[in-house]
Amino acid sequence: MSGCPYFERRQLFFKNKPPTTEENDNASQAGVNKASKGGLIYGDYLQLDKITSAQLLQSELKGNKIHDEHLFIVTHQAYELWFKQILFELDSVRHIFISGHVRDERNMLKVNTRIHRIAMIFRLLVDQFSVLETMTALDFFDFRNYLAPASGFQSLQFRILENKVGVLDFLRVPYNKRHYKDNFEGEDSETLLAAEQEPTLLKLVEEWLERTPGLEADGFNFWERLRINIFDGLNQEEEKIEKMEDSEEKEELMDELAKKKEQFTTLFDEKHHQHLVSKGDRRLSYKALQGALMIYFYREEPRFQVPFQLLTSLMDIDTLMTKWRYNHVCMVHRMIGNKAGTGGSSGYQYLRSTVSDRYKVFVDLFNLATFLVPRHWVPKLNPSVDRFIFTAECYDSSYCSSDDSD
Protein backbone atom coordinates (compact mmCIF):
# COMPACT_ATOMS: atom_id res chain seq x y z
CA MET A 1 0.00 0.00 0.00
CA SER A 2 3.03 2.27 0.26
CA GLY A 3 2.70 3.18 -3.39
CA CYS A 4 -0.96 4.22 -3.10
CA PRO A 5 -1.39 7.94 -4.03
CA TYR A 6 -4.38 8.28 -1.66
CA PHE A 7 -2.48 7.21 1.44
CA GLU A 8 0.55 9.30 0.46
CA ARG A 9 -1.60 12.46 0.23
CA ARG A 10 -3.39 11.60 3.50
CA GLN A 11 -0.11 11.12 5.27
CA LEU A 12 1.21 14.48 3.92
CA PHE A 13 -2.00 16.22 5.08
CA PHE A 14 -1.63 15.08 8.68
CA LYS A 15 2.07 15.85 8.65
CA ASN A 16 1.47 19.50 7.61
CA LYS A 17 -1.83 20.08 9.43
CA PRO A 18 -2.22 23.51 11.13
CA PRO A 19 -1.76 23.86 14.88
CA THR A 20 -4.68 22.81 17.05
CA THR A 21 -6.95 25.37 18.70
CA GLU A 22 -5.27 24.61 21.99
CA GLU A 23 -1.84 25.36 20.50
CA ASN A 24 -3.17 28.64 19.00
CA ASP A 25 -4.64 29.66 22.35
CA ASN A 26 -1.35 29.03 24.08
CA ALA A 27 0.49 31.25 21.57
CA SER A 28 -2.07 34.04 21.92
CA GLN A 29 -1.67 34.06 25.70
CA ALA A 30 2.12 34.05 25.76
CA GLY A 31 2.45 37.75 26.66
CA VAL A 32 3.01 39.38 30.06
CA ASN A 33 0.65 41.94 31.60
CA LYS A 34 3.12 44.70 32.44
CA ALA A 35 0.38 46.98 33.77
CA SER A 36 -0.17 44.61 36.69
CA LYS A 37 3.25 45.64 38.00
CA GLY A 38 2.18 49.26 38.39
CA GLY A 39 3.20 52.41 36.54
CA LEU A 40 1.45 54.58 33.97
CA ILE A 41 -1.73 53.10 32.53
CA TYR A 42 -3.92 54.08 29.59
CA GLY A 43 -6.54 56.10 31.45
CA ASP A 44 -3.94 58.02 33.46
CA TYR A 45 -1.81 58.75 30.39
CA LEU A 46 -4.76 60.24 28.51
CA GLN A 47 -6.30 61.78 31.66
CA LEU A 48 -9.60 60.25 30.66
CA ASP A 49 -11.16 61.07 34.01
CA LYS A 50 -10.97 64.77 33.07
CA ILE A 51 -12.07 64.31 29.46
CA THR A 52 -15.00 61.98 30.07
CA SER A 53 -16.31 63.99 33.00
CA ALA A 54 -16.29 67.29 31.10
CA GLN A 55 -19.78 66.88 29.59
CA LEU A 56 -21.92 69.08 31.80
CA LEU A 57 -25.44 69.20 30.41
CA GLN A 58 -27.06 72.57 31.07
CA SER A 59 -30.49 71.02 30.54
CA GLU A 60 -29.80 68.52 33.32
CA LEU A 61 -28.63 71.27 35.67
CA LYS A 62 -31.95 73.03 35.01
CA GLY A 63 -33.85 69.84 35.90
CA ASN A 64 -34.85 68.98 32.32
CA LYS A 65 -32.22 66.61 30.92
CA ILE A 66 -32.26 66.52 27.10
CA HIS A 67 -30.61 63.48 25.55
CA ASP A 68 -29.10 65.13 22.44
CA GLU A 69 -27.30 67.84 24.38
CA HIS A 70 -24.67 65.23 25.22
CA LEU A 71 -23.95 64.68 21.52
CA PHE A 72 -23.81 68.44 20.97
CA ILE A 73 -21.22 68.90 23.72
CA VAL A 74 -19.03 65.92 22.76
CA THR A 75 -18.97 66.97 19.09
CA HIS A 76 -17.88 70.52 19.90
CA GLN A 77 -15.30 69.30 22.40
CA ALA A 78 -13.90 67.03 19.69
CA TYR A 79 -13.69 70.04 17.37
CA GLU A 80 -11.75 71.99 19.97
CA LEU A 81 -9.32 69.12 20.56
CA TRP A 82 -8.64 68.91 16.84
CA PHE A 83 -8.20 72.69 16.68
CA LYS A 84 -5.56 72.30 19.38
CA GLN A 85 -3.74 69.67 17.32
CA ILE A 86 -3.91 71.86 14.20
CA LEU A 87 -2.40 74.78 16.14
CA PHE A 88 0.31 72.46 17.48
CA GLU A 89 1.26 71.36 13.94
CA LEU A 90 0.94 74.88 12.56
CA ASP A 91 3.22 76.37 15.23
CA SER A 92 5.86 73.73 14.52
CA VAL A 93 5.79 74.53 10.79
CA ARG A 94 5.96 78.26 11.44
CA HIS A 95 8.93 77.71 13.74
CA ILE A 96 10.81 75.84 11.00
CA PHE A 97 10.25 78.80 8.68
CA ILE A 98 11.00 81.49 11.28
CA SER A 99 14.21 79.83 12.50
CA GLY A 100 15.54 79.53 8.94
CA HIS A 101 15.63 75.73 9.07
CA VAL A 102 13.52 75.65 5.93
CA ARG A 103 16.61 76.77 4.01
CA ASP A 104 17.89 73.24 4.48
CA GLU A 105 15.46 71.59 2.09
CA ARG A 106 15.64 68.26 3.89
CA ASN A 107 13.31 69.89 6.40
CA MET A 108 10.73 70.45 3.67
CA LEU A 109 9.57 66.85 4.06
CA LYS A 110 8.79 67.62 7.70
CA VAL A 111 6.93 70.78 6.67
CA ASN A 112 4.97 68.94 3.98
CA THR A 113 4.03 66.11 6.31
CA ARG A 114 2.66 68.45 8.97
CA ILE A 115 0.81 70.71 6.54
CA HIS A 116 -0.72 67.61 4.93
CA ARG A 117 -1.68 66.39 8.40
CA ILE A 118 -3.52 69.66 9.04
CA ALA A 119 -5.41 69.17 5.78
CA MET A 120 -6.37 65.63 6.78
CA ILE A 121 -7.65 66.84 10.16
CA PHE A 122 -9.79 69.45 8.44
CA ARG A 123 -11.14 66.74 6.14
CA LEU A 124 -12.20 64.86 9.26
CA LEU A 125 -13.78 68.00 10.74
CA VAL A 126 -15.78 68.57 7.56
CA ASP A 127 -17.16 65.03 7.75
CA GLN A 128 -17.90 65.35 11.47
CA PHE A 129 -20.92 67.54 10.70
CA SER A 130 -22.74 64.43 9.48
CA VAL A 131 -22.71 63.09 13.04
CA LEU A 132 -24.14 66.29 14.47
CA GLU A 133 -26.81 66.34 11.76
CA THR A 134 -28.28 63.09 13.09
CA MET A 135 -29.91 65.48 15.56
CA THR A 136 -33.08 67.08 14.21
CA ALA A 137 -33.99 70.75 14.43
CA LEU A 138 -36.62 69.94 17.07
CA ASP A 139 -34.07 67.93 19.08
CA PHE A 140 -31.81 70.98 19.10
CA PHE A 141 -34.69 73.32 19.90
CA ASP A 142 -35.36 71.31 23.07
CA PHE A 143 -32.11 72.50 24.71
CA ARG A 144 -30.98 75.48 22.62
CA ASN A 145 -32.24 78.10 25.07
CA TYR A 146 -29.99 76.64 27.76
CA LEU A 147 -26.89 77.57 25.69
CA ALA A 148 -27.31 81.35 25.43
CA PRO A 149 -25.24 83.48 25.32
CA ALA A 150 -22.60 80.86 24.44
CA SER A 151 -21.79 80.77 20.71
CA GLY A 152 -19.39 79.00 18.35
CA PHE A 153 -18.10 82.45 17.36
CA GLN A 154 -16.48 82.57 20.80
CA SER A 155 -14.11 79.71 19.94
CA LEU A 156 -10.78 81.29 20.86
CA GLN A 157 -8.74 78.54 19.22
CA PHE A 158 -10.47 78.93 15.86
CA ARG A 159 -9.87 82.71 15.86
CA ILE A 160 -6.20 82.12 16.73
CA LEU A 161 -6.02 79.57 13.93
CA GLU A 162 -7.40 82.09 11.44
CA ASN A 163 -4.82 84.64 12.59
CA LYS A 164 -1.87 82.28 12.42
CA VAL A 165 -2.77 80.98 8.97
CA GLY A 166 -3.10 84.54 7.69
CA VAL A 167 -6.73 85.71 7.40
CA LEU A 168 -6.44 89.44 6.70
CA ASP A 169 -7.92 91.59 9.43
CA PHE A 170 -9.43 94.22 7.12
CA LEU A 171 -11.24 91.52 5.14
CA ARG A 172 -13.02 90.01 8.14
CA VAL A 173 -16.80 90.34 8.23
CA PRO A 174 -17.81 92.52 11.25
CA TYR A 175 -19.70 90.75 14.01
CA ASN A 176 -22.78 92.83 14.78
CA LYS A 177 -20.99 95.84 13.27
CA ARG A 178 -18.07 95.42 15.66
CA HIS A 179 -14.54 94.09 15.31
CA TYR A 180 -14.32 90.39 16.12
CA LYS A 181 -11.85 91.00 18.99
CA ASP A 182 -14.46 93.08 20.81
CA ASN A 183 -16.20 89.82 21.67
CA PHE A 184 -13.21 88.63 23.69
CA GLU A 185 -12.00 90.06 26.97
CA GLY A 186 -9.11 89.82 29.40
CA GLU A 187 -6.57 87.09 28.79
CA ASP A 188 -8.40 85.84 25.70
CA SER A 189 -8.18 89.29 24.12
CA GLU A 190 -4.46 89.49 24.88
CA THR A 191 -3.90 86.03 23.40
CA LEU A 192 -5.64 87.09 20.18
CA LEU A 193 -3.59 90.27 19.97
CA ALA A 194 -0.37 88.30 20.44
CA ALA A 195 -1.39 85.87 17.70
CA GLU A 196 -2.04 88.77 15.32
CA GLN A 197 1.47 90.10 15.86
CA GLU A 198 3.23 86.82 15.08
CA PRO A 199 4.41 86.01 11.53
CA THR A 200 1.57 84.27 9.73
CA LEU A 201 1.94 81.14 7.65
CA LEU A 202 1.01 83.27 4.64
CA LYS A 203 3.85 85.72 5.31
CA LEU A 204 6.39 82.96 5.90
CA VAL A 205 5.39 81.11 2.73
CA GLU A 206 5.58 84.41 0.85
CA GLU A 207 9.19 84.99 1.98
CA TRP A 208 10.05 81.41 1.05
CA LEU A 209 8.54 81.80 -2.44
CA GLU A 210 10.50 85.01 -2.99
CA ARG A 211 13.70 82.93 -2.74
CA THR A 212 12.61 80.53 -5.49
CA PRO A 213 15.74 79.70 -7.51
CA GLY A 214 15.61 80.87 -11.12
CA LEU A 215 13.99 84.24 -10.44
CA GLU A 216 17.33 86.08 -10.35
CA ALA A 217 17.58 88.73 -13.10
CA ASP A 218 21.29 87.92 -13.53
CA GLY A 219 20.58 84.18 -13.62
CA PHE A 220 17.85 82.15 -15.30
CA ASN A 221 15.58 85.22 -15.20
CA PHE A 222 12.38 83.18 -15.40
CA TRP A 223 9.93 86.11 -15.23
CA GLU A 224 11.37 88.10 -18.13
CA ARG A 225 11.84 85.04 -20.29
CA LEU A 226 8.27 83.96 -19.58
CA ARG A 227 6.97 87.41 -20.49
CA ILE A 228 8.79 87.38 -23.83
CA ASN A 229 7.61 83.86 -24.66
CA ILE A 230 3.98 84.58 -23.79
CA PHE A 231 3.70 87.72 -25.89
CA ASP A 232 5.58 86.10 -28.77
CA GLY A 233 3.08 83.27 -28.58
CA LEU A 234 0.11 85.65 -28.46
CA ASN A 235 1.45 87.57 -31.47
CA GLN A 236 1.79 84.33 -33.41
CA GLU A 237 -1.80 83.45 -32.53
CA GLU A 238 -2.90 86.88 -33.76
CA GLU A 239 -1.11 86.38 -37.08
CA LYS A 240 -2.90 83.06 -37.61
CA ILE A 241 -6.29 84.56 -36.83
CA GLU A 242 -5.71 87.54 -39.13
CA LYS A 243 -5.14 85.15 -42.04
CA MET A 244 -8.62 83.72 -41.61
CA GLU A 245 -11.48 84.91 -43.78
CA ASP A 246 -13.79 87.44 -42.16
CA SER A 247 -16.38 85.57 -40.15
CA GLU A 248 -18.13 85.49 -36.81
CA GLU A 249 -15.61 82.88 -35.64
CA LYS A 250 -12.68 85.16 -36.53
CA GLU A 251 -14.27 88.02 -34.61
CA GLU A 252 -14.81 85.82 -31.54
CA LEU A 253 -11.21 84.57 -31.66
CA MET A 254 -9.89 88.14 -31.88
CA ASP A 255 -12.03 89.18 -28.89
CA GLU A 256 -10.75 86.22 -26.89
CA LEU A 257 -7.17 87.02 -27.84
CA ALA A 258 -7.60 90.65 -26.75
CA LYS A 259 -8.79 89.43 -23.33
CA LYS A 260 -5.76 87.14 -23.07
CA LYS A 261 -3.40 90.00 -23.88
CA GLU A 262 -5.02 92.22 -21.28
CA GLN A 263 -4.88 89.42 -18.73
CA PHE A 264 -1.16 88.81 -19.24
CA THR A 265 -0.38 92.53 -19.47
CA THR A 266 -1.78 92.96 -15.95
CA LEU A 267 0.15 89.89 -14.76
CA PHE A 268 3.46 91.51 -15.69
CA ASP A 269 2.45 94.95 -14.35
CA GLU A 270 3.89 95.30 -10.84
CA LYS A 271 1.91 98.47 -10.06
CA HIS A 272 -1.33 96.76 -10.98
CA HIS A 273 -0.35 93.85 -8.73
CA GLN A 274 0.28 96.20 -5.79
CA HIS A 275 -3.14 97.78 -6.37
CA LEU A 276 -4.80 94.37 -6.19
CA VAL A 277 -2.88 93.58 -2.99
CA SER A 278 -4.08 96.84 -1.39
CA LYS A 279 -7.68 95.83 -2.17
CA GLY A 280 -7.17 92.32 -0.81
CA ASP A 281 -7.73 90.71 -4.22
CA ARG A 282 -4.18 89.33 -4.12
CA ARG A 283 -2.28 88.28 -1.01
CA LEU A 284 1.24 87.38 -2.12
CA SER A 285 3.97 89.87 -3.02
CA TYR A 286 4.82 90.35 -6.69
CA LYS A 287 8.02 88.32 -6.42
CA ALA A 288 6.33 85.55 -4.39
CA LEU A 289 3.70 85.22 -7.11
CA GLN A 290 6.51 84.79 -9.64
CA GLY A 291 8.02 82.04 -7.49
CA ALA A 292 4.69 80.26 -7.14
CA LEU A 293 4.08 80.35 -10.89
CA MET A 294 7.60 79.06 -11.54
CA ILE A 295 7.04 76.13 -9.18
CA TYR A 296 3.72 75.52 -10.91
CA PHE A 297 5.31 75.34 -14.37
CA TYR A 298 8.38 73.31 -13.35
CA ARG A 299 6.68 71.04 -10.79
CA GLU A 300 8.13 67.92 -12.47
CA GLU A 301 11.74 69.04 -11.93
CA PRO A 302 13.48 67.46 -8.90
CA ARG A 303 13.98 70.78 -7.11
CA PHE A 304 10.34 71.81 -7.39
CA GLN A 305 8.46 68.58 -6.70
CA VAL A 306 8.31 68.99 -2.92
CA PRO A 307 7.54 72.75 -3.11
CA PHE A 308 4.67 71.97 -5.50
CA GLN A 309 3.30 69.43 -3.03
CA LEU A 310 3.41 72.09 -0.32
CA LEU A 311 1.49 74.60 -2.45
CA THR A 312 -1.08 71.90 -3.21
CA SER A 313 -1.54 71.12 0.50
CA LEU A 314 -1.94 74.82 1.31
CA MET A 315 -4.76 75.00 -1.24
CA ASP A 316 -6.25 71.87 0.34
CA ILE A 317 -6.34 73.61 3.71
CA ASP A 318 -8.04 76.66 2.21
CA THR A 319 -10.55 74.46 0.39
CA LEU A 320 -11.35 72.39 3.47
CA MET A 321 -11.70 75.43 5.73
CA THR A 322 -14.15 76.86 3.20
CA LYS A 323 -16.05 73.56 3.14
CA TRP A 324 -16.07 73.55 6.94
CA ARG A 325 -17.61 77.03 6.99
CA TYR A 326 -20.12 76.03 4.33
CA ASN A 327 -21.15 72.86 6.17
CA HIS A 328 -21.52 74.92 9.33
CA VAL A 329 -23.76 77.39 7.49
CA CYS A 330 -25.93 74.60 6.08
CA MET A 331 -26.25 72.90 9.46
CA VAL A 332 -27.19 76.15 11.22
CA HIS A 333 -29.77 76.92 8.53
CA ARG A 334 -31.48 73.56 8.93
CA MET A 335 -31.33 73.75 12.73
CA ILE A 336 -32.52 77.32 13.41
CA GLY A 337 -33.64 78.72 10.06
CA ASN A 338 -33.32 82.52 10.08
CA LYS A 339 -33.36 82.93 13.85
CA ALA A 340 -30.67 84.95 15.62
CA GLY A 341 -27.66 83.04 16.94
CA THR A 342 -27.38 82.19 20.65
CA GLY A 343 -24.52 84.70 20.92
CA GLY A 344 -26.60 87.51 19.42
CA SER A 345 -25.49 87.45 15.77
CA SER A 346 -27.91 87.26 12.85
CA GLY A 347 -27.15 83.53 12.79
CA TYR A 348 -27.40 81.99 9.33
CA GLN A 349 -27.12 85.35 7.57
CA TYR A 350 -23.86 86.23 9.35
CA LEU A 351 -22.31 82.80 8.81
CA ARG A 352 -23.24 82.82 5.13
CA SER A 353 -21.32 86.07 4.66
CA THR A 354 -18.10 84.38 5.85
CA VAL A 355 -18.16 81.74 3.09
CA SER A 356 -16.21 83.69 0.48
CA ASP A 357 -12.72 84.44 -0.81
CA ARG A 358 -12.38 87.02 1.98
CA TYR A 359 -11.40 84.16 4.27
CA LYS A 360 -9.28 82.28 1.74
CA VAL A 361 -5.64 82.87 2.65
CA PHE A 362 -3.88 81.31 -0.33
CA VAL A 363 -6.32 82.51 -2.97
CA ASP A 364 -3.40 83.50 -5.25
CA LEU A 365 -2.42 79.84 -5.57
CA PHE A 366 -5.89 79.00 -6.87
CA ASN A 367 -5.66 81.82 -9.39
CA LEU A 368 -2.40 80.52 -10.86
CA ALA A 369 -4.47 78.34 -13.19
CA THR A 370 -5.64 81.59 -14.83
CA PHE A 371 -2.16 82.04 -16.28
CA LEU A 372 -1.55 78.58 -17.71
CA VAL A 373 0.01 78.62 -21.16
CA PRO A 374 1.01 75.93 -23.67
CA ARG A 375 4.02 73.98 -22.43
CA HIS A 376 6.19 75.11 -25.34
CA TRP A 377 5.75 78.72 -24.19
CA VAL A 378 7.42 77.94 -20.85
CA PRO A 379 11.13 78.88 -20.88
CA LYS A 380 13.24 75.78 -21.48
CA LEU A 381 15.70 74.63 -18.84
CA ASN A 382 19.18 73.47 -19.74
CA PRO A 383 20.22 70.87 -17.12
CA SER A 384 23.91 71.34 -17.90
CA VAL A 385 23.65 75.10 -17.21
CA ASP A 386 20.66 75.59 -14.93
CA ARG A 387 21.98 73.50 -12.07
CA PHE A 388 19.58 75.08 -9.55
CA ILE A 389 16.93 72.51 -10.54
CA PHE A 390 19.07 69.82 -8.87
CA THR A 391 20.92 71.55 -6.02
CA ALA A 392 19.42 72.53 -2.68
CA GLU A 393 19.49 76.09 -1.36
CA CYS A 394 21.48 75.13 1.70
CA TYR A 395 22.94 72.05 3.37
CA ASP A 396 23.74 72.42 7.03
CA SER A 397 23.67 69.40 9.33
CA SER A 398 23.03 71.66 12.32
CA TYR A 399 19.52 72.31 11.02
CA CYS A 400 18.59 68.65 11.19
CA SER A 401 20.46 67.84 14.39
CA SER A 402 19.08 70.84 16.25
CA ASP A 403 16.20 70.21 18.65
CA ASP A 404 14.67 73.46 17.42
CA SER A 405 13.87 71.90 14.04
CA ASP A 406 11.51 69.29 15.54
Side-chain angles (χ1 to χ4, degrees):
M1 299 295 287
S2 62
C4 177
Y6 169 74
F7 283 102
E8 286 182 355
R9 287 197 299 270
R10 190 167 182 269
Q11 192 174 21
L12 183 63
F13 170 77
F14 283 105
K15 182 179 180 181
N16 297 326
K17 67 178 181 177
T20 63
T21 302
E22 183 178 353
E23 290 172 337
N24 275 331
D25 289 342
N26 289 336
S28 69
Q29 299 300 314
V32 177
N33 185 7
K34 295 182 179 180
S36 63
K37 300 178 181 180
L40 187 66
I41 60 173
Y42 181 80
D44 294 339
Y45 175 67
L46 297 178
Q47 299 193 50
L48 293 181
D49 56 333
K50 295 179 181 179
I51 295 175
T52 57
S53 61
Q55 294 73 46
L56 191 61
L57 279 63
Q58 293 300 307
S59 60
E60 185 174 14
L61 292 177
K62 302 297 191 297
N64 182 31
K65 183 178 178 180
I66 304 299
H67 177 88
D68 279 12
E69 188 183 358
H70 192 277
L71 172 66
F72 186 83
I73 293 173
V74 168
T75 304
H76 284 78
Q77 287 176 336
Y79 273 126
E80 292 295 332
L81 281 173
W82 281 123
F83 290 159
K84 183 173 184 178
Q85 184 64 34
I86 290 172
L87 287 170
F88 183 75
E89 302 295 347
L90 181 57
D91 283 343
S92 72
V93 168
R94 289 169 57 249
H95 178 73
I96 292 173
F97 277 100
I98 292 170
S99 62
H101 294 164
V102 74
R103 288 179 177 271
D104 186 328
E105 296 185 13
R106 291 172 298 173
N107 282 318
M108 286 305 297
L109 178 61
K110 190 181 295 182
V111 168
N112 264 5
T113 299
R114 293 173 185 179
I115 289 294
H116 178 67
R117 182 178 297 162
I118 291 173
M120 290 302 97
I121 293 173
F122 264 115
R123 194 176 299 279
L124 178 66
L125 297 186
V126 168
D127 292 340
Q128 191 168 292
F129 279 104
S130 60
V131 179
L132 202 53
E133 287 172 346
T134 61
M135 178 175 60
T136 68
L138 185 57
D139 294 331
F140 182 51
F141 179 81
D142 288 340
F143 66 87
R144 183 173 182 258
N145 286 339
Y146 296 123
L147 308 181
S151 165
F153 182 85
Q154 298 157 5
S155 170
L156 178 64
Q157 288 194 118
F158 191 73
R159 301 305 159 203
I160 292 173
L161 173 58
E162 289 178 325
N163 287 340
K164 290 189 174 185
V165 171
V167 172
L168 298 179
D169 187 68
F170 75 92
L171 289 180
R172 284 182 177 274
V173 178
Y175 185 82
N176 292 344
K177 299 180 180 180
R178 299 173 63 191
H179 194 275
Y180 86 101
K181 285 205 302 291
D182 292 344
N183 294 276
F184 297 87
E185 299 177 351
E187 188 176 339
D188 288 350
S189 180
E190 293 175 4
T191 301
L192 277 175
L193 180 61
E196 284 184 345
Q197 294 172 345
E198 295 175 9
T200 65
L201 181 63
L202 173 64
K203 182 63 178 176
L204 295 168
V205 169
E206 177 185 73
E207 294 173 352
W208 169 72
L209 285 171
E210 288 174 347
R211 298 197 308 271
T212 302
L215 294 181
E216 306 85 358
D218 58 349
F220 183 66
N221 201 8
F222 162 73
W223 199 239
E224 179 60 18
R225 293 174 67 175
L226 179 67
R227 186 189 67 80
I228 293 171
N229 286 7
I230 286 177
F231 284 103
D232 282 349
L234 291 174
N235 290 335
Q236 290 173 16
E237 283 189 3
E238 186 174 17
E239 290 175 3
K240 290 180 181 179
I241 297 172
E242 286 177 343
K243 292 178 181 178
M244 296 172 59
E245 293 184 3
D246 291 341
S247 63
E248 187 175 339
E249 181 186 6
K250 179 179 180 180
E251 188 174 330
E252 289 176 355
L253 289 173
M254 289 299 288
D255 287 342
E256 185 178 339
L257 181 63
K259 291 177 182 178
K260 283 184 182 179
K261 282 190 173 183
E262 182 181 0
Q263 185 180 80
F264 284 107
T265 297
T266 59
L267 173 64
F268 293 101
D269 185 343
E270 186 172 359
K271 288 185 178 179
H272 180 72
H273 177 89
Q274 298 299 347
H275 175 65
L276 293 177
V277 169
S278 68
K279 291 169 54 183
D281 292 339
R282 285 187 187 168
R283 313 294 162 80
L284 294 172
S285 69
Y286 188 55
K287 191 170 184 180
L289 182 68
Q290 297 173 26
L293 195 58
M294 185 170 186
I295 291 170
Y296 208 87
F297 280 132
Y298 298 109
R299 59 191 179 277
E300 296 172 355
E301 300 297 335
R303 180 74 183 278
F304 295 129
Q305 290 174 8
V306 173
F308 179 73
Q309 290 171 357
L310 175 58
L311 298 187
T312 300
S313 292
L314 292 173
M315 286 191 285
D316 288 342
I317 290 175
D318 250 346
T319 298
L320 290 164
M321 287 187 75
T322 302
K323 287 182 178 180
W324 188 89
R325 293 180 194 276
Y326 179 74
N327 281 13
H328 188 203
V329 169
C330 291
M331 185 194 69
V332 167
H333 200 196
R334 72 185 288 178
M335 291 294 181
I336 68 171
N338 284 311
K339 293 178 183 176
T342 51
S345 75
S346 57
Y348 165 71
Q349 299 297 335
Y350 167 75
L351 292 173
R352 188 177 67 173
S353 69
T354 66
V355 184
S356 70
D357 285 352
R358 298 164 70 104
Y359 285 84
K360 266 188 181 176
V361 176
F362 297 99
V363 66
D364 292 348
L365 301 182
F366 291 84
N367 290 332
L368 290 179
T370 308
F371 308 112
L372 291 181
V373 296
R375 287 179 183 263
H376 64 275
W377 288 13
V378 179
K380 295 292 185 288
L381 290 166
N382 184 344
S384 62
V385 177
D386 304 313
R387 302 299 297 171
F388 65 84
I389 61 175
F390 302 111
T391 57
E393 177 183 7
C394 175
Y395 183 91
D396 185 344
S397 60
S398 66
Y399 286 155
C400 287
S401 62
S402 171
D403 292 337
D404 292 338
S405 65
D406 291 339

